[in-house]
Amino acid sequence: MVNKDLELFDCGHRACGGCGAALAARLVLKGAGTNTIVVSATGCMEVFSTPYPETAWKVPWIHSLFENASAVASGVVASLQKQGRTEKVIVMGGDGATFDIGMLCISGAFERGHDLTYICYDNEAYMNTGIQRSGATPYDASTTTSPAGSCSFGNKRPKKDMPQILAAHGAPYVATASIAYPMDLMQKVEKAINTPGPCYVQLHAPCCTGWGFEGEQTVAIAKLAIETGLWVNYEMIDGKVTKVKKVVRKPVEEYLKTQKRFRHLFKPKRQDAEIAAIQAIADKNAEKYGIDIKLKKE
Amino acid sequence: MALAVGCRARPGKARDNKTGSWRVFKPSFDHEKCTQCGTCKTICPEGCISEDTDGKFIPDYQYCKGCGLCAEECPGEAITMKQEEK
Ligand code: SF4
Ligand code: SF4
């Protein structure tokens, strides 16, 4: 059962003030509970939560490398099974470790069908090493390896559809969630760890430092991503979408304007064509997942 | 021979690191306005807000980084951020 009062991710970690990923870690463990073992991939969360000899984790936790967290977790699961133990195994990776570097080991773990839950806290770039783009970086976001300037509007490629890729592996439960909706997030984690087989949960976790906004805005910005249709919260059981968060949609501009990584779309000159292209991405999401709440005409 | 693999740390040892020293703005809680909804406690990235014995929500200033998220999200506007005198 989700226990909101359970604190398994302790104070004293070194995340920036207002960090979305730190909030994600707290909420994930509230959903997962004490009978959990966490395997972390290299990334922001691993670095800020465990500068040796400190650790914020109050459940058994292991880190090996960037790329192999799912392989390590596969071994942990196999060993627990052999010993007849009941702990649930969670892998925590950022979007870099998930969408790019850990892909091979994730695919292997899902294909072999280990009973684990892979959780990606998605802050849409490599933040820990200095904001380089990843396969999760959205279209037109400026990063240090996709800088906006006179020749470019930032990242040229759309976000990789990781949940669909893992659903295609036959994952029985795949979900997306956001730190802006804590109860939903905790319940999805709980559902994932209690579903036998490899499950995947992708969490939208805004990064004040990497995206360029004040730490107090983290939850508000995560909410705007949902309200504009640029992030969709849904649940997939056996590859079929069964539950979607519906919204009365706002124009994407309201989300883009809040962050420095999209500032070049408004200054020095408003880039209407680019904003329209991002609006088209949101419109496509809305149509694909049916998120629009239709208001009655007056 | 026992082989020690990797580095080990006691669970929750991060508490040794008092992140309250990072703070520039300090959240101050108005218990009259608080409706005890619990939002601040749920969304604080530090997990440093708890209820005292009277059910009042208070942050642990040893760890509060002063990010302002609680003040921004409090539906009752019971939390205000004030520059801290040090
Ligand atoms: S968010 Fe505001 S109203 Fe809710 S418990 Fe905290 S201080 Fe009280
Ligand atoms: S200011 Fe930030 S760190 Fe301090 S109690 Fe509020 S949410 Fe927590």
Side-chain angles (χ1 to χ4, degrees):
Chain A
M1 269 296 284
V2 168
N3 180 356
K4 273 174 91 173
D5 291 326
L6 190 66
E7 291 294 346
L8 295 173
F9 190 77
D10 220 335
C11 300
H13 61 73
R14 292 163 193 250
C16 306
C19 172
L23 176 52
R26 276 187 70 222
L27 297 174
V28 163
L29 289 182
K30 285 173 192 289
T34 45
N35 197 35
T36 307
I37 293 175
V38 175
V39 180
S40 276
T42 305
C44 251
M45 187 186 287
E46 172 261 323
V47 169
F48 73 61
S49 66
T50 62
Y52 186 73
E54 290 164 14
T55 175
W57 303 84
K58 290 164 87 178
V59 294
W61 178 92
I62 181 172
H63 163 252
S64 169
L65 297 170
F66 218 138
E67 64 275 25
N68 68 352
S70 326
V72 171
S74 303
V76 173
V77 170
S79 167
L80 292 173
Q81 253 165 15
K82 177 89 180 151
Q83 298 174 62
R85 285 164 61 171
T86 60
E87 290 98 321
K88 304 285 185 187
V89 177
I90 285 182
V91 185
M92 288 284 241
D95 50 288
T98 307
F99 287 60
D100 306 345
I101 297 178
M103 192 71 183
L104 177 86
C105 292
I106 296 171
S107 180
F110 274 66
E111 170 264 314
R112 291 188 302 271
H114 295 287
D115 185 15
L116 54 80
T117 295
Y118 192 105
I119 294 175
C120 169
Y121 66 95
D122 182 3
N123 55 21
E124 305 188 322
Y126 291 84
M127 298 316 186
N128 164 46
T129 47
I131 320 163
Q132 292 86 5
R133 77 170 288 281
S134 78
T137 303
Y139 180 74
D140 268 0
S142 184
T143 70
T144 52
T145 48
S146 64
S150 53
C151 305
S152 164
F153 290 112
N155 182 47
K156 285 196 174 60
R157 299 291 304 156
K159 198 180 175 88
K160 190 193 279 187
D161 195 348
M162 198 66 188
Q164 285 289 354
I165 292 170
L166 292 174
H169 280 68
Y173 184 79
V174 170
T176 54
S178 162
I179 54 140
Y181 297 91
M183 204 55 205
D184 176 68
L185 188 160
M186 294 185 270
Q187 283 166 348
K188 281 171 174 162
V189 170
E190 186 192 21
K191 209 159 169 181
I193 63 163
N194 289 308
T195 304
C199 299
Y200 179 68
V201 185
Q202 187 169 298
L203 310 176
H204 202 219
C207 166
C208 40
T209 308
W211 299 8
F213 61 83
E214 295 298 330
E216 76 217 20
Q217 295 298 324
T218 303
V219 172
I221 284 175
K223 208 167 265 174
L224 273 174
I226 301 248
E227 288 169 347
T228 52
L230 287 172
W231 181 275
V232 182
N233 267 0
Y234 60 87
E235 224 171 30
M236 261 196 275
I237 294 175
D238 294 324
K240 289 217 171 58
V241 177
T242 53
K243 204 178 114 192
V244 176
K245 163 106 183 125
K246 297 198 177 209
V247 292
V248 179
R249 248 181 335 128
K250 295 178 173 169
V252 292
E253 245 187 275
E254 291 190 27
Y255 175 69
L256 303 175
K257 270 190 171 157
T258 57
Q259 305 157 50
K260 276 204 195 111
R261 63 177 176 161
F262 295 118
R263 187 175 45 189
H264 56 284
L265 301 178
F266 302 96
K267 272 178 195 163
K269 193 164 109 250
R270 201 188 145 86
Q271 304 295 341
D272 286 315
E274 291 304 307
I275 296 168
I278 298 172
Q279 186 61 54
I281 295 172
D283 294 347
K284 216 169 120 192
N285 282 343
E287 201 192 335
K288 183 171 171 193
Y289 294 101
I291 61 172
D292 282 336
I293 297 174
K294 301 262 171 349
L295 292 176
K296 281 198 201 106
K297 294 227 169 70
E298 310 259 315
Chain B
M1 192 186 79
L3 184 68
V5 181
C7 312
R8 287 168 293 182
R10 163 171 64 73
K13 193 172 170 3
R15 277 200 170 260
D16 291 359
N17 184 32
K18 304 282 190 282
T19 50
S21 63
W22 299 13
R23 201 169 48 238
V24 177
F25 293 94
K26 187 175 180 176
S28 117
F29 285 59
D30 180 343
H31 300 298
E32 297 287 303
K33 285 191 185 162
C34 171
T35 57
Q36 311 203 315
C37 68
T39 302
C40 53
K41 182 180 164 182
T42 305
I43 55 118
C44 170
E46 312 311 312
C48 73
I49 301 177
S50 58
E51 293 131 279
D52 68 7
T53 41
D54 303 332
K56 287 186 185 133
F57 284 79
I58 37 160
D60 183 340
Y61 291 113
Q62 284 192 89
Y63 298 102
C64 164
K65 291 173 186 166
C67 69
L69 247 185
C70 54
E72 188 68 25
E73 295 301 319
C74 169
E77 289 177 20
I79 310 170
T80 38
M81 301 300 292
K82 292 180 185 138
Q83 179 129 29
E84 194 165 356
E85 311 278 336
K86 276 193 184 152

